[in-house]
């Protein structure tokens, strides 16, 4: 187990009806709000009306920024920062999924920065200050509601990358599982895959003796495997939605990172895919992860992949290689059963831009904690996934 620091200041208000605390929580941090949301789902579901009622009841002035795209764009961040300056905004409220929350975090940092906001994602500047933000989560997937990361796409250069800093932790996040009853089956499934892949990024590193961390990781995976199909079959099943919602936060709020290192293959490669092809993050991950597991399986990694098969999928095969293969087979089968595609070709991705994808994902770096992967290895995995 590696040495670690753990810090997470986000206050969680979990459960049905927690929206009633929204205004009080906002007023702890600000007086004038930028209310950020996506393409309109919150208007259909009634969440928009509830938020507006809360703000009006407490006479909190607000300016709206709707229309945030899935895979949120730097142009929207620039627009939001401009609105903050024009209207002397001192608090950002994100109501939506990971895209809306990430965009809000980005705006919070950009509003206090004189240069172009993309500087934070291309490595020219570091996020040290930001307006305070709070979130109302409507989709269980990214963990953005309880972490300090923000993933933004540059639609001009076709890049998509993460940035972050302690200033971006939401001051509070309202997690009402009933707000996810309306998430369609495909987005529910993509969210489940995203949660599971956040776990893989740390679970599959080879540090020994992080037993507690690994056990928590396995329980998060089992929670996804149990409740994902239930949430798809019965969208209004509160127990399923509630367990998935907390799994979303736990998988990327630092808890399962402690004592482990980051593998990175799945997220770095998927971000490059969705930068170029604008696909849903969880869909890209569902395609990549099983091919990656097959590619990295060797004598050194077989024990870790076999432990995954036995502890998560209840595989009872004694041989490590055979157990690992069975675990990978069940992972792929599970994703398919939730309607996820298995190949890049199914989402319109061919062989023509793979060099560009690899370049955008890792440049010339070797990455990977479970097994080091060169750019050539990543290219080979993508070819296998075509
Ligand atoms: O835009 P609206 O109309 O709100 O519709 C959204 C969108 O079409 C819809 N939706 C959300 N809540 C709903 C709903 N539809 C019905 N009922 C509801 N209650 O779902 C669609 C997807 O929303 P989005 O926010 O894009 O999904 P997600 O939460 O999966 O976020 C994905 C983004 O987060 C990034 C991804 O790369 C991607 O850009 N990530 C952020 C991370 C972080 N900050 O820590 C880590 C992740 O690994 C990930 O990279
Ligand atoms: Zn993710």
């Amino acid at each position: 187990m590696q040495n670690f620091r753990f810090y997470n200041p986000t206050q969680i208000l979990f459960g049905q009806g927690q929206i009633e605390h929204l205004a009080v929580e906002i007023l702890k941090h600000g007086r004038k709000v930028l209310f950020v949301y996506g393409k309109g789902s919150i208007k259909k579901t009634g969440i928009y009306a509830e938020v507006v009622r809360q703000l009006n009841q407490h006479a909190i002035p607000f300016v709206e920024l709707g229309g945030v795209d899935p895979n949120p764009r730097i142009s929207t961040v620039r627009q939001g920062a401009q609105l903050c300056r024009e209207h002397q905004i001192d608090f950002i409220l994100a109501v939506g999924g990971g895209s809306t929350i990430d965009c809000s975090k980005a705006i919070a940092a950009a509003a206090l920065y004189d240069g172009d906001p993309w500087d934070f994602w291309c490595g020219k500047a570091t996020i040290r200050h930001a307006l305070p933000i709070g979130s109302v989560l409507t989709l269980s997937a990214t963990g953005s509601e309880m972490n300090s990361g923000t993933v933004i796409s540059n639609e001009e250069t076709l890049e998509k990358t993460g940035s972050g800093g302690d200033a971006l932790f939401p001051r509070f996040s309202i997690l009402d599982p009933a707000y996810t009853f309306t998430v369609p089956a495909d987005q529910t499934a993509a969210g489940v895959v995203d949660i599971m892949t956040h776990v893989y990024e740390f679970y599959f590193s080879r540090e020994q003796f992080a037993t507690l961390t690994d056990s928590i990781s396995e329980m998060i995976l089992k929670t996804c495997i149990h409740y994902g199909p239930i949430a798809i079959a019965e969208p209004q099943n509160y127990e399923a939605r509630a367990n998935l919602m907390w799994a979303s936060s736990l998988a990327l709020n630092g808890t399962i990172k402690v004592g482990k290192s980051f593998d990175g293959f799945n997220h770095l490669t998927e971000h490059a895919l969705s930068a170029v092809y604008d696909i849903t993050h969880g869909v890209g991950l569902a395609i990549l992860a099983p091919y990656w597991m097959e590619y990295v399986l060797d004598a050194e990694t077989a024990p870790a992949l076999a432990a995954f098969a036995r502890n998560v999928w209840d595989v009872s095969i004694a041989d490590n290689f055979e157990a690992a293969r069975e675990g990978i087979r069940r992972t792929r089968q599970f994703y398919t059963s939730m309607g996820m595609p298995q190949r890049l070709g199914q989402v319109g991705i061919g062989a023509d831009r793979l060099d560009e994808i690899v370049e955008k994902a890792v440049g010339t770096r070797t990455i990977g904690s479970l097994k080091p992967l060169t750019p050539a290895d990543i290219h080979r995995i993508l070819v296998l996934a075509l």
Side-chain angles (χ1 to χ4, degrees), residues 194 198 267 281 285:
D194 193 20
H198 295 154
H267 273 77
H281 177 57
L285 296 172

Side-chain angles (χ1 to χ4, degrees), residues 62-93:
F62 64 93
V63 174
E64 290 184 37
L65 175 63
V68 173
D69 298 278
N71 299 327
R73 296 171 189 187
I74 192 69
S75 53
T76 318
V77 176
R78 293 186 184 116
Q79 191 191 346
Q82 182 63 27
L83 283 174
C84 289
R85 293 192 194 104
E86 268 169 35
H87 297 275
Q88 290 85 46
I89 299 292
D90 61 7
F91 187 84
I92 318 258
L93 176 65

